[in-house]
Amino acid sequence: MAVQEARQGAGPGAGPGPHEGGCTCGDCPHGARAGHRRAVAEFLLKRDEFAAGQGLPAAVAHSASASRQWVSEELTQSAELVADRGRAEGEAWLVRLWVRTAGTVWAAVVALLLVQALTAVGAGWSSARTAGLLAALVVAGALTAASWFHRARGGALAPVIGEDNRLSTSRAVAASWVLLVAYAVLVLVGRLAAASGPAERDALISGLDLARGAGVVTVLAVVCGIAVLVRRVVGLRVFGQRLQKVRAYRPRAADLLTDDSGRGTFADIQYVVISAVALVFAAVRLARRPDQLPDLPWGLAVVVLVSAATYLAGKYAEGGRPVILSVVRSREAGDLDAPIRTGDDIEIRGAGFVPPGAQTADRLSRMVVRIGPVHVHVPLVPVTGGFSNPSDALLTVPVPADVEPGRVEVQVVTAAGVETNRYAIDVTE
């Protein structure tokens, strides 16, 4: 369907309509999302045509190297347009997100009111229900105000969006526990304000004793510490070139359960699932005992702590520096065996050349190979549905004529800016 849309839009007499491209007008019929989808469709059409050998000009069709270079340049320019449209869509999406987050928060308040009204049938309305509703209104008001002040960064979700423009699992879990504990304290404050006798006030104050809320306080301290520590760990590993990070166009809910490449990770999934179960248990305990902090059992608290430790260990274990294992001369069928000469293609074999989340064409086109003092951009070689070059374990680049014969070093610079080890090869005349 995307290819058909591109063909129809590229037909005779078809020109760019009003408000197309990166427009983010509120009443625009062709907003940033439509412009991005159209750019993607045109890129896919062009890539598949080049993969089928179509669209090559006669001036370069006679030379395999010249046609490959021309195709790579054309795809790179088209991929840059797709990237620009994607960034525009991501920015527009973040601006609209604050309204959605505020609406979700107030929908939760309405749901709480309905649940309290239904459970009050027969039992009657109590001061605890009033305190719970007022606490929800205070929290919702604070989140709405935060959404307004951070409306350009995703509203209430701004604190849990990482520097790579993805939702942070550690921050999301910590923020959930902070909101629960803050809500529980506000419920106690509301009940304390409405208490009439000294005995009731003393009982409510004793509900904040550490002996009753030790489990939930311990979990809160650990998950908040994990959120801070993970940010530090990731930052140090990126600066030390032991972890490759590329920026996403916009955050997605799936970021909580996946790595940067979109694959589900065990460490993140188990941390989110176990924390969600513990949060539900704590919320139920608060509903049943609104006169004290949720008394999270130590068994469940230890399970959450083990889950947090597993998540932190996963952060330490992920990633790794890209490495060149070998460099050989690329040989076509029928070619004679020979040493590497200028003009020949070489295959660079290794691991980690394509960082997670950098599988798009605009990121792949940023890969560079240093052969001696010469910087060679890795050509994009399209195939149906993707690219055969570059790949995570194999790069094919030509040895330019500017490389002096002799012993030279080869080094790959990935799209994340991380450099591999240096590998020496011999170039003959």
Side-chain angles (χ1 to χ4, degrees), residues 189-251:
V189 169
R191 294 206 61 191
L192 184 62
S196 57
E200 184 180 0
R201 288 194 294 269
D202 292 341
L204 290 172
I205 293 176
S206 64
L208 292 172
D209 289 343
L210 186 60
R212 297 187 177 183
V216 70
V217 171
T218 302
V219 169
L220 176 65
V222 170
V223 296
C224 290
I226 290 291
V228 176
L229 183 58
V230 164
R231 179 180 181 182
R232 180 64 174 171
V233 168
V234 172
L236 290 177
R237 288 174 62 83
V238 170
F239 293 146
Q241 296 192 6
R242 298 188 301 274
L243 180 65
Q244 301 190 73
K245 276 282 187 180
V246 295
R247 185 176 175 83
Y249 293 138
R250 67 177 179 88

